[in-house]
Amino acid sequence: MSREQAIANAEQCFDSGAFRAVLSRRVSIPTESQNPDRAEALASYLSTEMQPAFEAMGFRCETLTHAKARAPFLYAERIEDPALPTVLGYGHGDVIRGLEPEWHEGLSPWTLTERDGRWYGRGIADNKGQHSINMEALRLVLETRGKLGFNVKYLIEMGEETGSPGLRELCEQHKDRFSADLLIASDGPRLSPQRPTVFLGARGSLNIDLSIEARAGGHHSGNWGGLISNPGIQLAHAIASISSPTGQIRIPEWVPAELPASVRRALADCEVDGGSDGPVIEPEWGEPGLSPAERVFGWCSFEVLAYKTGNPETPVNAIPPRAWARCQLRFVVGVDPDNLLPALRRHLDRQGFPMVKIQTTRETMFKATRIDPEDPWVKWAVSSLEKTSGKKTAILPNLGGSLPNDIFTDVLGLKTVWVPHSYPGCSQHAPNEHLPPELLREALTLMTGLYWDLGSGGTPK
């Protein structure tokens, strides 16, 4: 059997409705990891969907647990020959809350529905659709060739949407067991819907609460205006000292010293495209002198996610006693994560805002990661994707968002190549999550070709 036959089998798998049936079953399981009432669904996804699918391909499966994790992990492995290349796969079966009342009429987060050329359902983009593509591609290669021609270790977690509690500790505990030559996984969006993409890491992420507690209660603005400080005004100015009016970060320790040449080369032909539903890029926003792709994939960004002072629902004529803002920094390799909060404290004190309190949030801080865009494994993967699609693959040094990729790079010591099967306008984490079926179909052929090539020899040492 040939590579061409394997890809033809992938097309048949999709066109026959077989893949849709698999994905439909998985979407129907309400695996909301933020919902404590869904513990049974989280475990069921592993026992009724993941484990049988791996075992049917000759994998040995084991459920793993860790005290810090709220849900179990599934570990599956198929070792054909220790001398062959070994790839670690990863996916997460948990999803963001369904938000059922907010979906369009006739749509449900737990029912895969086709409408207007899109497949809707919670998890179709993040992450059930993506790891289902990869698992089906493994099955198709095995079915066509009779063997994979490489070894596979696979880890499925059920807590990524709550910060992957226990994942780092599990990988530290099983470091030798999870050893591999390379991580190949899928999450996040392509650069654009039509363009196959690889990304090689992720921006780091730190959520911060900034607050001012000026006094115990509010005071009449007519009697006290001009005599006592307004925390809302003070906090607004404190935030303005962190970011320029056009979004440029003003804390030197929060940005890298430079944009590496290999990153510039990789991003030179990358055009950010959110599709027809995506927002319009504002060219004057963010770090000046950088292209849009360099700003989101090569640089850092600071955002205010929420701001509250006084009583926004029913304003009254009183100077508020407090103000609060939830802020977020996305940062890249080259920024010291251990210096982020000390640098912020020093900056606010220098600017005259010692009254601003800094607190980290419950969200885990993700560290920034990226491997060299010119690494041999990257070139190998890109060559395979281009052979299958006939399209030039976009190489992103890192995802604009954040993933627990540092666990794979720093704890397990792996090169990481992510092949995303979504697009920026998919409504991930929002109501009406969806993907166009043609993107899923192409992704299935791409991964079938990639795994076929992995078992054909000629991979980097």
Side-chain angles (χ1 to χ4, degrees):
M1 290 292 186
S2 65
R3 185 183 199 273
E4 291 72 22
Q5 183 60 55
I7 291 173
N9 290 346
E11 293 171 338
Q12 172 61 21
C13 173
F14 193 91
D15 295 343
S16 68
F19 176 76
R20 177 173 175 167
V22 169
L23 185 54
S24 180
R25 285 199 316 270
R26 294 174 183 174
V27 166
S28 72
I29 303 174
T31 52
E32 302 165 300
S33 56
Q34 314 88 47
N35 185 345
D37 296 331
R38 297 300 198 190
E40 184 176 342
L42 297 175
S44 175
Y45 188 80
L46 297 182
S47 63
T48 65
E49 280 296 328
M50 296 292 98
Q51 184 165 337
F54 280 116
E55 289 179 339
M57 294 188 284
F59 281 70
R60 184 181 64 82
C61 296
E62 182 179 354
T63 299
L64 302 175
T65 59
H66 193 277
K68 286 191 174 182
R70 305 185 188 100
F73 302 82
L74 182 70
Y75 174 67
E77 69 174 19
R78 178 188 168 100
I79 307 299
E80 294 188 350
D81 184 343
L84 293 172
T86 300
V87 63
L88 178 67
Y90 162 83
H92 66 91
D94 66 314
V95 298
I96 285 291
R97 289 182 182 271
L99 307 174
E100 291 96 325
E102 300 177 40
W103 286 57
H104 291 322
E105 185 176 355
L107 297 179
S108 163
W110 316 122
T111 303
L112 195 155
T113 305
E114 183 168 7
R115 178 182 291 182
D116 299 327
R118 295 171 169 178
W119 287 5
Y120 288 86
R122 176 61 86 221
I124 191 169
D126 186 20
N127 176 258
K128 293 177 179 179
Q130 303 219 34
H131 65 251
S132 294
I133 285 282
N134 294 1
M135 291 169 64
E136 280 295 288
L138 286 171
R139 184 187 67 79
L140 288 160
V141 170
L142 184 60
E143 181 182 88
T144 306
R145 182 184 266 151
K147 61 179 182 179
L148 291 175
F150 57 96
N151 306 311
V152 182
K153 301 177 180 181
Y154 222 107
L155 188 62
I156 303 288
E157 71 158 317
M158 302 302 294
E160 195 269 353
E161 300 294 4
T162 55
S164 297
L167 178 61
R168 179 179 297 276
E169 292 79 7
L170 191 81
C171 288
E172 290 171 343
Q173 180 182 346
H174 297 281
K175 182 176 180 179
D176 293 338
R177 191 178 188 185
F178 296 166
S179 64
D181 297 295
L182 176 73
L183 174 89
I184 295 179
S186 299
D187 204 343
R190 290 179 169 191
L191 180 65
S192 64
Q194 297 79 24
R195 190 173 180 187
T197 301
V198 298
F199 63 84
L200 314 176
R203 286 203 292 186
S205 177
L206 175 65
N207 282 11
I208 311 164
D209 282 353
L210 301 180
S211 61
I212 298 176
E213 293 280 346
R215 54 192 68 88
H219 294 275
H220 193 283
S221 58
N223 298 335
W224 295 96
L227 300 179
I228 60 175
S229 62
N230 187 311
I233 294 174
Q234 289 178 311
L235 188 58
H237 280 277
I239 292 171
S241 79
I242 297 171
S243 172
S244 77
T246 56
Q248 182 181 10
I249 294 173
R250 288 171 159 167
I251 302 177
E253 297 93 332
W254 277 19
V255 296
E258 61 180 358
L259 197 62
S262 61
V263 172
R264 283 192 181 275
R265 286 193 292 269
L267 295 175
D269 73 333
C270 292
E271 182 178 348
V272 180
D273 178 9
S276 59
D277 294 337
V280 176
I281 293 173
E282 300 175 39
E284 301 306 319
W285 186 262
E287 184 69 18
L290 301 181
S291 71
E294 289 169 344
R295 296 204 299 270
V296 74
F297 300 119
W299 208 251
C300 307
S301 64
F302 173 74
E303 306 296 343
V304 178
L305 306 181
Y307 190 105
K308 183 176 180 180
T309 190
N311 191 332
E313 292 79 18
T314 55
V316 296
N317 294 321
I319 299 168
R322 63 187 61 87
W324 167 91
R326 171 67 54 84
C327 303
Q328 183 183 73
L329 176 70
R330 300 274 186 180
F331 60 96
V332 296
V333 170
V335 174
D336 180 3
D338 294 329
N339 195 31
L340 295 175
L341 293 179
L344 176 60
R345 182 72 274 163
R346 293 192 299 268
H347 171 84
L348 290 175
D349 289 347
R350 284 195 307 267
Q351 298 296 319
F353 301 109
M355 76 292 289
V356 176
K357 184 178 180 180
I358 304 170
Q359 283 186 309
T360 55
T361 67
R362 290 182 297 175
E363 288 87 355
T364 302
M365 183 180 79
F366 289 104
K367 294 183 178 179
T369 56
R370 102 173 32 123
I371 68 170
D372 187 348
E374 296 172 1
D375 185 271
W377 274 112
V378 178
K379 294 181 178 179
W380 169 84
V382 167
S383 175
S384 173
L385 298 177
E386 292 181 347
K387 182 178 180 180
T388 302
S389 68
K391 303 175 183 178
K392 186 174 183 181
T393 298
I395 303 174
L396 305 181
N398 46 257
L399 181 69
S402 301
L403 290 168
N405 195 59
D406 63 298
I407 297 173
F408 306 119
T409 57
D410 299 351
V411 175
L412 300 181
L414 298 179
K415 302 289 182 70
T416 56
V417 176
W418 294 77
V419 186
H421 309 321
S422 179
Y423 80 107
C426 68
S427 297
Q428 170 188 351
H429 288 196
N432 309 309
E433 181 178 345
H434 67 274
L435 284 179
E438 59 269 20
L439 191 160
L440 288 165
R441 185 181 191 271
E442 182 181 56
L444 186 58
T445 64
L446 291 175
M447 295 308 296
T448 301
L450 188 70
Y451 287 136
W452 183 275
D453 293 342
L454 188 60
S456 297
T459 55
K461 300 299 183 183

